[in-house]
Amino acid sequence: MLRFLRSYWHDRRGNIAILSTVMITSLVGVSGLAVEFGNGLLNRMQDQRIADAAAMSGGTIYNSTSSTTAMQAAVTNIATLNGVSTTAVSSSVVSSPSGDGNEAVMVTVRTTVPLALARVLWTASPGASMPVSATSYAELKSGLPGCIIALSSSGTGVTLSGGTGVTAAGCAVASNTTASVPCGTSIVTKALEYDTSYSECTTPNSITAPSGSTLTITKTLTSDPLSGATGVADSTSHLSSVSSISSPASPTVTGGTAVSFGYTASTTQTQLTADGCSGTFTSNIWTVTCSNGTYNFGAISLSGGITVNFNLAGAASNTYNFNGQICDSGTALHFGNGIYNVSGGIASGGGSSTTFGYGTFNIGRVSTGSNPCGAPTGYSIYNTGSVMTFGSATTASTFTIVGGINNSGGETLVMGGACTNGGNPCTGTSSSNSFTSPTGNSFNLGATTAGDSIVMGGGAATYFGDATGSGKLFQTAGNVNVTSGGGSCLWIGAAAEHDINGYMSTAGGTTLGSGRYSIYKYLWLGGGGGGDVTCGGSTVGMYGNNVTMVIGGNGVPTSGGCPNDSFCVSNGYGHVTLSSPGSGSLEGLAVIGPISSGNTNGALFTGGASNTTLSGAVYFPHGPVSLSGAGSLGNGTGQCLELIGSQVTLSGGSAVGTTCTISGQTGGTNGAVALVQ
């Protein structure tokens, strides 16, 4: 037995077969591992290629839209086109792994590789697989938005002459044709773009970079950064509704007895009794008393030296109907709160003071032959007295004015608020005037047959209260025409919409409450001469914060220095400040000109229009933007200004300064997208 075992132990027959079996099994397993590892590497390379393409696509979309939804849609589209399930790809905006402070679009693709040959080395269930993933980062390189852009591919592009200068340290200057910066002029910018040619002075260079920066000059086409912008499209569409504004209908008033407040008490008392009220007369003062209800009167007039206190304690629900004109040519005429329907308009003269409490005012026109106060036919309110006031400091009023409003030289008109001067009524443009307005007023202003809704004389002060709130209006069926009002001051309260179906021409100082101003024709500062005025203690040409001016350009001035411009600042207007909204669809939009390709009316700053500050975009895509005669925009201190026109021209010592760019807008040097990991 021992011998048998020993012989068996030393018998080597069949060893090769055993070893071969073991080696073949190992070789198959190792080969399986190699094949499937290689297959995994191949799949990972494919996933990396898809991740790279998806990241670049998503980064490009995000760079132009800032929309993560649009970016993710672009990423999944690339994955689907390459046969990858949308559940296998993920994307997000993260900090770039390069560490340079930029953002990046990160895309990860996760797939699996089925295992087959490698299963001989271990026990695995059917369908076992190996996970594979790849990640790509597309960095969003910051572009340099353009703040001076000439969009037209013809014309003069960006042109400087006569000692002019542009300071745009934080943004690009771009022209889709030529850029001309001769000796004696200058542009300071980090980037100049042109599409045809550029020329500059070389001794020294007239195009330079800000201190500590480098200048890039590139031949490229610049796109319109505001083309299709929601705020621009909506504002242009809104102009169509402005064009349909017309004068409201006159109130219908019948019956009533005319009342003449004079020195013969019995006559006036008889007239008041006929109208359902009573009156007492003491020391040249009439006191009228009416109980609660509705009253019909004829025309109202005052003799010189007479003061009338008309039902001052009456209920605000009282209705007062006047069949004719209210003419205050006495000392003072004071009405309480209520609903007023006046078919023949309201006029004053001779230094009188006319006041109404808060309420609803439906005022018709002065008609031919019924103007005892000398009011021209067609006006609804004609103030040649001293002070005329409608409303209160705490309760809003509603105004439906059929004709125009005329506040003549040196007078004060208050609508929708209260104005005092040391406890007394306001006087002209005094710096001691204090105007207080409630919210919620509403103004529906018609126009005269000449097309004017608001007219002012020299030294006049006109106040309109705030018209904020749902359904509240500030609209005119005609022009805001202050062409002869040198030294005048106009205040317009806040409203979501300020709609002017005509032009706005000023010769004094104008203060604008917040909101959008849609002007169907044109805006001209200095159309009738004039210039800066001290209004409320401040020097003002035009001031508006949180405003957007939308100019239709449907008609331009037919005379003067702005014959082809729908936005014009001229004649010594040195204090014009307009700041665009900081949020919403109108964010960054200061002035929007005509956007129809057939309307080439532009913007002009001329005639010493200096120290003008516009924060936001001045956008005239088909019209020129020009500065001449030492006109200037900005002083380069914290002002975000963007000038976009068909061409941009500076001449005669003009200057533009801006230190920042407009949020959410692109243009100028295009932002790049690059794979970084």
Side-chain angles (χ1 to χ4, degrees):
M1 182 68 180
L2 184 61
R3 180 183 301 169
F4 172 77
L5 292 172
R6 184 180 295 113
S7 64
Y8 180 80
W9 181 260
H10 291 286
D11 190 349
R12 290 179 172 81
R13 289 175 297 177
N15 285 358
I16 297 300
I18 295 171
L19 291 173
S20 296
T21 300
V22 173
M23 292 178 66
I24 288 171
T25 301
S26 299
L27 287 172
V28 169
V30 171
S31 298
L33 284 173
V35 169
E36 288 174 348
F37 181 71
N39 193 29
L41 288 177
L42 178 61
N43 274 268
R44 187 180 184 282
M45 291 173 62
Q46 292 174 339
D47 290 351
Q48 188 66 56
R49 174 180 57 80
I50 296 170
D52 289 347
M56 285 296 292
S57 177
T60 300
I61 294 298
Y62 187 78
N63 219 20
S64 61
T65 66
S66 298
S67 168
T68 55
T69 301
M71 175 271 290
Q72 290 167 347
V75 168
T76 55
N77 284 341
I78 294 296
T80 301
L81 289 172
N82 285 274
V84 174
S85 169
T86 56
T87 59
V89 61
S90 61
S91 59
S92 60
V93 179
V94 300
S95 297
S96 174
S98 66
D100 59 5
N102 289 328
E103 292 183 316
V105 171
M106 180 184 74
V107 174
T108 299
V109 177
R110 294 181 174 87
T111 58
T112 58
V113 178
L115 297 176
L117 293 174
R119 291 175 57 205
V120 300
L121 294 181
W122 63 83
T123 301
S125 61
S129 61
M130 175 176 61
V132 176
S133 68
T135 298
S136 182
Y137 294 84
E139 183 174 311
L140 310 175
K141 304 289 187 181
S142 299
L144 194 63
C147 50
I148 310 292
I149 306 176
L151 292 172
S152 177
S153 58
S154 61
T156 57
V158 175
T159 302
L160 278 64
S161 64
T164 59
V166 172
T167 302
C171 51
V173 176
S175 170
N176 283 339
T177 175
T178 62
S180 176
V181 192
C183 295
T185 66
S186 66
I187 291 180
V188 178
T189 184
K190 292 180 181 179
L192 174 73
E193 294 193 347
Y194 67 95
D195 192 51
T196 302
S197 64
Y198 81 95
S199 60
E200 66 169 318
C201 184
T202 58
T203 54
N205 292 92
S206 53
I207 306 174
T208 58
S211 177
S213 302
T214 57
L215 172 66
T216 301
I217 299 179
T218 308
K219 187 179 186 301
T220 187
L221 190 67
T222 300
S223 60
D224 182 347
L226 294 177
S227 176
T230 300
V232 174
D234 177 67
S235 295
T236 303
S237 175
H238 184 69
L239 276 172
S240 297
S241 63
V242 174
S243 68
S244 65
I245 295 173
S246 59
S247 297
S250 293
T252 300
V253 180
T254 59
T257 299
V259 180
S260 301
F261 290 97
Y263 294 91
T264 304
S266 59
T267 300
T268 303
Q269 288 169 341
T270 300
Q271 294 167 345
L272 287 171
T273 300
D275 291 328
C277 298
S278 62
T280 60
F281 182 60
T282 304
S283 301
N284 296 344
I285 299 175
W286 276 99
T287 300
V288 177
T289 302
C290 305
S291 59
N292 295 339
T294 299
Y295 297 90
N296 296 323
F297 302 89
I300 299 292
S301 61
L302 278 68
S303 299
I306 294 294
T307 295
V308 177
N309 295 319
F310 198 104
N311 208 33
L312 297 183
S317 59
N318 279 1
T319 297
Y320 305 98
N321 299 317
F322 297 90
N323 185 9
Q325 183 182 124
I326 294 177
C327 171
D328 178 11
S329 56
T331 297
L333 174 58
H334 305 302
F335 290 91
N337 308 320
I339 300 168
Y340 290 87
N341 301 304
V342 185
S343 65
I346 300 172
S348 67
S352 63
S353 174
T354 308
T355 64
F356 290 81
Y358 66 82
T360 299
F361 300 93
N362 302 304
I363 314 298
R365 302 175 187 270
V366 173
S367 60
T368 303
S370 62
N371 49 358
C373 276
T377 301
Y379 283 101
S380 290
I381 295 177
Y382 191 76
N383 181 30
T384 59
S386 175
V387 177
M388 185 179 289
T389 299
F390 298 82
S392 77
T394 57
T395 305
S397 296
T398 298
F399 298 87
T400 302
I401 310 298
V402 178
I405 296 172
N406 189 316
N407 189 29
S408 67
E411 321 304 348
T412 300
L413 174 64
V414 179
M415 302 188 71
C419 188
T420 59
N421 186 314
N424 298 311
C426 283
T427 54
T429 62
S430 170
S431 61
S432 300
N433 289 349
S434 177
F435 176 58
T436 305
S437 166
T439 60
N441 293 294
S442 189
F443 302 92
N444 182 4
L445 309 181
T448 65
T449 54
D452 295 326
S453 290
I454 300 173
V455 174
M456 293 172 61
T462 304
Y463 302 81
F464 289 94
D466 291 343
T468 53
S470 177
K472 304 305 179 182
L473 303 174
F474 185 95
Q475 67 178 35
T476 74
N479 311 313
V480 178
N481 191 358
V482 196
T483 56
S484 61
S488 63
C489 295
L490 171 63
W491 284 265
I492 297 177
E497 304 290 350
H498 304 79
D499 296 333
I500 299 172
N501 186 14
Y503 61 76
M504 184 173 184
S505 180
T506 72
T510 304
T511 301
L512 305 175
S514 62
R516 179 165 61 182
Y517 290 76
S518 300
I519 304 172
Y520 187 67
K521 291 184 178 180
Y522 59 84
L523 173 61
W524 189 0
L525 277 65
D532 297 349
V533 180
T534 300
C535 298
S538 300
T539 302
V540 178
M542 177 174 280
Y543 176 86
N545 184 38
N546 196 28
V547 301
T548 297
M549 311 301 292
V550 183
I551 314 299
N554 299 290
V556 294
T558 56
S559 61
C562 302
N564 296 304
D565 299 288
S566 53
F567 182 87
C568 185
V569 181
S570 64
N571 290 310
Y573 272 82
H575 293 81
V576 176
T577 300
L578 298 176
S579 300
S580 62
S583 61
S585 64
L586 296 175
E587 178 182 359
L589 298 173
V591 183
I592 302 172
I595 67 169
S596 169
S597 60
N599 193 327
T600 59
N601 297 324
L604 175 64
F605 303 84
T606 186
S610 59
N611 298 319
T612 296
T613 300
L614 301 180
S615 291
V618 177
Y619 182 56
F620 287 77
H622 304 290
V625 177
S626 306
L627 283 80
S628 65
S632 67
L633 291 177
N635 54 15
T637 305
Q639 179 193 6
C640 302
L641 171 66
E642 192 174 23
L643 293 182
I644 304 174
S646 61
Q647 58 194 41
V648 179
T649 304
L650 280 73
S651 63
S654 300
V656 171
T658 180
T659 59
C660 53
T661 55
I662 310 304
S663 174
Q665 298 174 14
T666 59
T669 305
N670 294 320
V673 179
L675 295 175
V676 293
Q677 187 172 310

